[in-house]
mmCIF file with all atom_site columns, all heavy atoms in Angstrom:
data_model
loop_
_atom_site.group_PDB
_atom_site.id
_atom_site.type_symbol
_atom_site.label_atom_id
_atom_site.label_alt_id
_atom_site.label_comp_id
_atom_site.label_asym_id
_atom_site.label_entity_id
_atom_site.label_seq_id
_atom_site.pdbx_PDB_ins_code
_atom_site.Cartn_x
_atom_site.Cartn_y
_atom_site.Cartn_z
_atom_site.occupancy
_atom_site.B_iso_or_equiv
_atom_site.pdbx_formal_charge
_atom_site.auth_seq_id
_atom_site.auth_comp_id
_atom_site.auth_asym_id
_atom_site.auth_atom_id
_atom_site.pdbx_PDB_model_num
ATOM 1   N N   . LEU A 1 2   ? -11.228 -5.231  -7.750  1.00 0.00 ? 2   LEU A N   1
ATOM 2   C CA  . LEU A 1 2   ? -11.785 -6.492  -7.098  1.00 0.00 ? 2   LEU A CA  1
ATOM 3   C C   . LEU A 1 2   ? -10.855 -7.629  -7.590  1.00 0.00 ? 2   LEU A C   1
ATOM 4   O O   . LEU A 1 2   ? -10.557 -8.537  -6.823  1.00 0.00 ? 2   LEU A O   1
ATOM 5   C CB  . LEU A 1 2   ? -13.233 -6.711  -7.522  1.00 0.00 ? 2   LEU A CB  1
ATOM 6   C CG  . LEU A 1 2   ? -14.243 -5.769  -6.771  1.00 0.00 ? 2   LEU A CG  1
ATOM 7   C CD1 . LEU A 1 2   ? -15.669 -6.096  -7.381  1.00 0.00 ? 2   LEU A CD1 1
ATOM 8   C CD2 . LEU A 1 2   ? -14.248 -6.002  -5.280  1.00 0.00 ? 2   LEU A CD2 1
ATOM 9   N N   . MET A 1 18  ? 2.908   -11.114 2.451   1.00 0.00 ? 18  MET A N   1
ATOM 10  C CA  . MET A 1 18  ? 3.388   -9.774  2.260   1.00 0.00 ? 18  MET A CA  1
ATOM 11  C C   . MET A 1 18  ? 4.705   -9.533  2.948   1.00 0.00 ? 18  MET A C   1
ATOM 12  O O   . MET A 1 18  ? 4.937   -9.767  3.983   1.00 0.00 ? 18  MET A O   1
ATOM 13  C CB  . MET A 1 18  ? 2.334   -8.737  2.810   1.00 0.00 ? 18  MET A CB  1
ATOM 14  C CG  . MET A 1 18  ? 2.690   -7.444  2.567   1.00 0.00 ? 18  MET A CG  1
ATOM 15  S SD  . MET A 1 18  ? 1.744   -6.229  3.517   1.00 0.00 ? 18  MET A SD  1
ATOM 16  C CE  . MET A 1 18  ? 2.457   -6.266  5.072   1.00 0.00 ? 18  MET A CE  1
ATOM 17  N N   . HIS A 1 29  ? 0.216   -2.383  -7.545  1.00 0.00 ? 29  HIS A N   1
ATOM 18  C CA  . HIS A 1 29  ? -0.187  -1.418  -8.568  1.00 0.00 ? 29  HIS A CA  1
ATOM 19  C C   . HIS A 1 29  ? -0.357  -2.110  -9.926  1.00 0.00 ? 29  HIS A C   1
ATOM 20  O O   . HIS A 1 29  ? -1.254  -1.884  -10.645 1.00 0.00 ? 29  HIS A O   1
ATOM 21  C CB  . HIS A 1 29  ? 0.983   -0.347  -8.727  1.00 0.00 ? 29  HIS A CB  1
ATOM 22  C CG  . HIS A 1 29  ? 0.579   0.765   -9.674  1.00 0.00 ? 29  HIS A CG  1
ATOM 23  N ND1 . HIS A 1 29  ? 0.996   0.783   -10.928 1.00 0.00 ? 29  HIS A ND1 1
ATOM 24  C CD2 . HIS A 1 29  ? -0.231  1.724   -9.532  1.00 0.00 ? 29  HIS A CD2 1
ATOM 25  C CE1 . HIS A 1 29  ? 0.603   1.790   -11.572 1.00 0.00 ? 29  HIS A CE1 1
ATOM 26  N NE2 . HIS A 1 29  ? -0.219  2.554   -10.710 1.00 0.00 ? 29  HIS A NE2 1
ATOM 27  N N   . CYS A 1 33  ? -3.824  -1.968  -11.889 1.00 0.00 ? 33  CYS A N   1
ATOM 28  C CA  . CYS A 1 33  ? -3.861  -1.213  -13.104 1.00 0.00 ? 33  CYS A CA  1
ATOM 29  C C   . CYS A 1 33  ? -3.641  -2.121  -14.307 1.00 0.00 ? 33  CYS A C   1
ATOM 30  O O   . CYS A 1 33  ? -3.313  -1.648  -15.359 1.00 0.00 ? 33  CYS A O   1
ATOM 31  C CB  . CYS A 1 33  ? -2.970  -0.066  -13.101 1.00 0.00 ? 33  CYS A CB  1
ATOM 32  S SG  . CYS A 1 33  ? -3.280  1.148   -11.913 1.00 0.00 ? 33  CYS A SG  1
ATOM 33  N N   . GLY A 1 42  ? 2.604   -1.307  -12.388 1.00 0.00 ? 42  GLY A N   1
ATOM 34  C CA  . GLY A 1 42  ? 3.855   -1.772  -11.695 1.00 0.00 ? 42  GLY A CA  1
ATOM 35  C C   . GLY A 1 42  ? 5.088   -0.898  -11.789 1.00 0.00 ? 42  GLY A C   1
ATOM 36  O O   . GLY A 1 42  ? 6.131   -1.338  -11.458 1.00 0.00 ? 42  GLY A O   1
ATOM 37  N N   . ALA A 1 47  ? 7.724   11.172  -13.743 1.00 0.00 ? 47  ALA A N   1
ATOM 38  C CA  . ALA A 1 47  ? 7.543   12.561  -14.137 1.00 0.00 ? 47  ALA A CA  1
ATOM 39  C C   . ALA A 1 47  ? 6.514   13.115  -13.097 1.00 0.00 ? 47  ALA A C   1
ATOM 40  O O   . ALA A 1 47  ? 5.774   12.440  -12.513 1.00 0.00 ? 47  ALA A O   1
ATOM 41  C CB  . ALA A 1 47  ? 7.157   12.802  -15.516 1.00 0.00 ? 47  ALA A CB  1
ATOM 42  N N   . PRO A 1 48  ? 6.482   14.464  -13.017 1.00 0.00 ? 48  PRO A N   1
ATOM 43  C CA  . PRO A 1 48  ? 5.406   15.054  -12.222 1.00 0.00 ? 48  PRO A CA  1
ATOM 44  C C   . PRO A 1 48  ? 3.978   14.763  -12.747 1.00 0.00 ? 48  PRO A C   1
ATOM 45  O O   . PRO A 1 48  ? 3.921   14.547  -13.977 1.00 0.00 ? 48  PRO A O   1
ATOM 46  C CB  . PRO A 1 48  ? 5.603   16.566  -12.335 1.00 0.00 ? 48  PRO A CB  1
ATOM 47  C CG  . PRO A 1 48  ? 7.145   16.777  -12.742 1.00 0.00 ? 48  PRO A CG  1
ATOM 48  C CD  . PRO A 1 48  ? 7.385   15.490  -13.537 1.00 0.00 ? 48  PRO A CD  1
ATOM 49  N N   . PRO A 1 64  ? 13.755  5.708   -2.957  1.00 0.00 ? 64  PRO A N   1
ATOM 50  C CA  . PRO A 1 64  ? 14.250  5.706   -1.530  1.00 0.00 ? 64  PRO A CA  1
ATOM 51  C C   . PRO A 1 64  ? 13.222  6.015   -0.523  1.00 0.00 ? 64  PRO A C   1
ATOM 52  O O   . PRO A 1 64  ? 13.308  5.488   0.592   1.00 0.00 ? 64  PRO A O   1
ATOM 53  C CB  . PRO A 1 64  ? 15.344  6.883   -1.672  1.00 0.00 ? 64  PRO A CB  1
ATOM 54  C CG  . PRO A 1 64  ? 15.588  7.112   -3.127  1.00 0.00 ? 64  PRO A CG  1
ATOM 55  C CD  . PRO A 1 64  ? 14.397  6.581   -3.784  1.00 0.00 ? 64  PRO A CD  1
ATOM 56  N N   . GLU A 1 77  ? 10.327  0.400   16.269  1.00 0.00 ? 77  GLU A N   1
ATOM 57  C CA  . GLU A 1 77  ? 9.615   1.666   16.627  1.00 0.00 ? 77  GLU A CA  1
ATOM 58  C C   . GLU A 1 77  ? 8.116   1.545   16.482  1.00 0.00 ? 77  GLU A C   1
ATOM 59  O O   . GLU A 1 77  ? 7.297   2.001   17.293  1.00 0.00 ? 77  GLU A O   1
ATOM 60  C CB  . GLU A 1 77  ? 10.160  2.860   15.824  1.00 0.00 ? 77  GLU A CB  1
ATOM 61  C CG  . GLU A 1 77  ? 9.446   4.083   16.174  1.00 0.00 ? 77  GLU A CG  1
ATOM 62  C CD  . GLU A 1 77  ? 9.954   5.245   15.306  1.00 0.00 ? 77  GLU A CD  1
ATOM 63  O OE1 . GLU A 1 77  ? 10.756  5.041   14.354  1.00 0.00 ? 77  GLU A OE1 1
ATOM 64  O OE2 . GLU A 1 77  ? 9.769   6.389   15.745  1.00 0.00 ? 77  GLU A OE2 1
ATOM 65  N N   . LEU A 1 78  ? 7.614   0.777   15.446  1.00 0.00 ? 78  LEU A N   1
ATOM 66  C CA  . LEU A 1 78  ? 6.189   0.565   15.099  1.00 0.00 ? 78  LEU A CA  1
ATOM 67  C C   . LEU A 1 78  ? 5.740   -0.844  15.511  1.00 0.00 ? 78  LEU A C   1
ATOM 68  O O   . LEU A 1 78  ? 4.702   -1.231  15.232  1.00 0.00 ? 78  LEU A O   1
ATOM 69  C CB  . LEU A 1 78  ? 5.822   0.859   13.714  1.00 0.00 ? 78  LEU A CB  1
ATOM 70  C CG  . LEU A 1 78  ? 6.046   2.353   13.244  1.00 0.00 ? 78  LEU A CG  1
ATOM 71  C CD1 . LEU A 1 78  ? 5.755   2.515   11.870  1.00 0.00 ? 78  LEU A CD1 1
ATOM 72  C CD2 . LEU A 1 78  ? 5.174   3.229   14.242  1.00 0.00 ? 78  LEU A CD2 1
ATOM 73  N N   . GLU A 1 84  ? -1.355  -8.559  22.288  1.00 0.00 ? 84  GLU A N   1
ATOM 74  C CA  . GLU A 1 84  ? -2.743  -7.908  22.408  1.00 0.00 ? 84  GLU A CA  1
ATOM 75  C C   . GLU A 1 84  ? -2.874  -6.651  21.756  1.00 0.00 ? 84  GLU A C   1
ATOM 76  O O   . GLU A 1 84  ? -3.953  -6.265  21.310  1.00 0.00 ? 84  GLU A O   1
ATOM 77  C CB  . GLU A 1 84  ? -3.115  -7.845  23.954  1.00 0.00 ? 84  GLU A CB  1
ATOM 78  C CG  . GLU A 1 84  ? -3.195  -9.100  24.658  1.00 0.00 ? 84  GLU A CG  1
ATOM 79  C CD  . GLU A 1 84  ? -1.906  -9.566  25.118  1.00 0.00 ? 84  GLU A CD  1
ATOM 80  O OE1 . GLU A 1 84  ? -0.877  -8.680  25.412  1.00 0.00 ? 84  GLU A OE1 1
ATOM 81  O OE2 . GLU A 1 84  ? -1.598  -10.688 25.274  1.00 0.00 ? 84  GLU A OE2 1
ATOM 82  N N   . ARG A 1 90  ? -1.112  -2.353  13.910  1.00 0.00 ? 90  ARG A N   1
ATOM 83  C CA  . ARG A 1 90  ? -1.317  -2.486  12.515  1.00 0.00 ? 90  ARG A CA  1
ATOM 84  C C   . ARG A 1 90  ? -2.210  -1.370  11.858  1.00 0.00 ? 90  ARG A C   1
ATOM 85  O O   . ARG A 1 90  ? -2.005  -0.906  10.887  1.00 0.00 ? 90  ARG A O   1
ATOM 86  C CB  . ARG A 1 90  ? -1.861  -3.915  12.098  1.00 0.00 ? 90  ARG A CB  1
ATOM 87  C CG  . ARG A 1 90  ? -0.818  -4.928  12.196  1.00 0.00 ? 90  ARG A CG  1
ATOM 88  C CD  . ARG A 1 90  ? -1.264  -6.229  11.510  1.00 0.00 ? 90  ARG A CD  1
ATOM 89  N NE  . ARG A 1 90  ? -2.424  -6.820  12.118  1.00 0.00 ? 90  ARG A NE  1
ATOM 90  C CZ  . ARG A 1 90  ? -2.541  -7.566  13.259  1.00 0.00 ? 90  ARG A CZ  1
ATOM 91  N NH1 . ARG A 1 90  ? -1.539  -7.750  13.904  1.00 0.00 ? 90  ARG A NH1 1
ATOM 92  N NH2 . ARG A 1 90  ? -3.641  -7.918  13.658  1.00 0.00 ? 90  ARG A NH2 1
ATOM 93  N N   . GLN A 1 93  ? 0.155   1.500   11.545  1.00 0.00 ? 93  GLN A N   1
ATOM 94  C CA  . GLN A 1 93  ? 0.944   1.273   10.321  1.00 0.00 ? 93  GLN A CA  1
ATOM 95  C C   . GLN A 1 93  ? 0.135   1.683   9.093   1.00 0.00 ? 93  GLN A C   1
ATOM 96  O O   . GLN A 1 93  ? 0.543   2.323   8.163   1.00 0.00 ? 93  GLN A O   1
ATOM 97  C CB  . GLN A 1 93  ? 1.481   -0.080  10.280  1.00 0.00 ? 93  GLN A CB  1
ATOM 98  C CG  . GLN A 1 93  ? 2.490   -0.479  11.320  1.00 0.00 ? 93  GLN A CG  1
ATOM 99  C CD  . GLN A 1 93  ? 2.869   -1.897  11.137  1.00 0.00 ? 93  GLN A CD  1
ATOM 100 O OE1 . GLN A 1 93  ? 2.033   -2.796  10.921  1.00 0.00 ? 93  GLN A OE1 1
ATOM 101 N NE2 . GLN A 1 93  ? 4.139   -2.262  11.413  1.00 0.00 ? 93  GLN A NE2 1
ATOM 102 N N   . ILE A 1 104 ? 4.002   11.029  -0.964  1.00 0.00 ? 104 ILE A N   1
ATOM 103 C CA  . ILE A 1 104 ? 4.919   10.620  -1.983  1.00 0.00 ? 104 ILE A CA  1
ATOM 104 C C   . ILE A 1 104 ? 4.375   10.672  -3.476  1.00 0.00 ? 104 ILE A C   1
ATOM 105 O O   . ILE A 1 104 ? 4.969   11.079  -4.423  1.00 0.00 ? 104 ILE A O   1
ATOM 106 C CB  . ILE A 1 104 ? 5.550   9.239   -1.659  1.00 0.00 ? 104 ILE A CB  1
ATOM 107 C CG1 . ILE A 1 104 ? 6.307   9.379   -0.476  1.00 0.00 ? 104 ILE A CG1 1
ATOM 108 C CG2 . ILE A 1 104 ? 6.370   8.757   -2.850  1.00 0.00 ? 104 ILE A CG2 1
ATOM 109 C CD1 . ILE A 1 104 ? 6.777   7.919   0.028   1.00 0.00 ? 104 ILE A CD1 1
ATOM 110 N N   . PHE A 1 118 ? -2.952  -2.318  0.071   1.00 0.00 ? 118 PHE A N   1
ATOM 111 C CA  . PHE A 1 118 ? -1.776  -2.383  0.977   1.00 0.00 ? 118 PHE A CA  1
ATOM 112 C C   . PHE A 1 118 ? -2.216  -2.444  2.550   1.00 0.00 ? 118 PHE A C   1
ATOM 113 O O   . PHE A 1 118 ? -1.874  -3.169  3.266   1.00 0.00 ? 118 PHE A O   1
ATOM 114 C CB  . PHE A 1 118 ? -0.820  -1.253  0.778   1.00 0.00 ? 118 PHE A CB  1
ATOM 115 C CG  . PHE A 1 118 ? 0.370   -1.424  1.624   1.00 0.00 ? 118 PHE A CG  1
ATOM 116 C CD1 . PHE A 1 118 ? 1.298   -2.372  1.373   1.00 0.00 ? 118 PHE A CD1 1
ATOM 117 C CD2 . PHE A 1 118 ? 0.610   -0.365  2.524   1.00 0.00 ? 118 PHE A CD2 1
ATOM 118 C CE1 . PHE A 1 118 ? 2.486   -2.424  2.249   1.00 0.00 ? 118 PHE A CE1 1
ATOM 119 C CE2 . PHE A 1 118 ? 1.736   -0.519  3.281   1.00 0.00 ? 118 PHE A CE2 1
ATOM 120 C CZ  . PHE A 1 118 ? 2.639   -1.443  3.181   1.00 0.00 ? 118 PHE A CZ  1
ATOM 121 N N   . GLY A 1 126 ? -2.825  -10.569 10.968  1.00 0.00 ? 126 GLY A N   1
ATOM 122 C CA  . GLY A 1 126 ? -3.210  -11.208 12.072  1.00 0.00 ? 126 GLY A CA  1
ATOM 123 C C   . GLY A 1 126 ? -4.675  -11.699 11.864  1.00 0.00 ? 126 GLY A C   1
ATOM 124 O O   . GLY A 1 126 ? -5.576  -10.833 11.433  1.00 0.00 ? 126 GLY A O   1
ATOM 125 N N   . LEU A 1 130 ? -9.224  -9.713  10.463  1.00 0.00 ? 130 LEU A N   1
ATOM 126 C CA  . LEU A 1 130 ? -9.842  -9.877  9.103   1.00 0.00 ? 130 LEU A CA  1
ATOM 127 C C   . LEU A 1 130 ? -11.004 -8.899  8.919   1.00 0.00 ? 130 LEU A C   1
ATOM 128 O O   . LEU A 1 130 ? -11.218 -8.297  7.887   1.00 0.00 ? 130 LEU A O   1
ATOM 129 C CB  . LEU A 1 130 ? -10.231 -11.352 8.901   1.00 0.00 ? 130 LEU A CB  1
ATOM 130 C CG  . LEU A 1 130 ? -9.044  -12.290 8.938   1.00 0.00 ? 130 LEU A CG  1
ATOM 131 C CD1 . LEU A 1 130 ? -9.527  -13.770 8.682   1.00 0.00 ? 130 LEU A CD1 1
ATOM 132 C CD2 . LEU A 1 130 ? -8.112  -12.010 7.734   1.00 0.00 ? 130 LEU A CD2 1
ATOM 133 N N   . TYR A 1 141 ? -10.956 3.487   1.214   1.00 0.00 ? 141 TYR A N   1
ATOM 134 C CA  . TYR A 1 141 ? -11.015 3.497   -0.340  1.00 0.00 ? 141 TYR A CA  1
ATOM 135 C C   . TYR A 1 141 ? -12.142 4.587   -0.656  1.00 0.00 ? 141 TYR A C   1
ATOM 136 O O   . TYR A 1 141 ? -11.864 5.450   -1.455  1.00 0.00 ? 141 TYR A O   1
ATOM 137 C CB  . TYR A 1 141 ? -11.557 2.186   -0.856  1.00 0.00 ? 141 TYR A CB  1
ATOM 138 C CG  . TYR A 1 141 ? -11.631 2.219   -2.419  1.00 0.00 ? 141 TYR A CG  1
ATOM 139 C CD1 . TYR A 1 141 ? -10.538 2.335   -3.267  1.00 0.00 ? 141 TYR A CD1 1
ATOM 140 C CD2 . TYR A 1 141 ? -12.864 2.209   -3.070  1.00 0.00 ? 141 TYR A CD2 1
ATOM 141 C CE1 . TYR A 1 141 ? -10.599 2.423   -4.511  1.00 0.00 ? 141 TYR A CE1 1
ATOM 142 C CE2 . TYR A 1 141 ? -12.911 2.263   -4.456  1.00 0.00 ? 141 TYR A CE2 1
ATOM 143 C CZ  . TYR A 1 141 ? -11.828 2.385   -5.115  1.00 0.00 ? 141 TYR A CZ  1
ATOM 144 O OH  . TYR A 1 141 ? -11.895 2.421   -6.595  1.00 0.00 ? 141 TYR A OH  1
#
Side-chain angles (χ1 to χ4, degrees):
L2 288 175
M18 185 192 76
H29 187 259
C33 296
E77 184 179 12
L78 293 178
E84 295 81 30
R90 284 193 304 278
Q93 288 177 326
I104 294 171
F118 180 69
L130 293 179
Y141 180 70

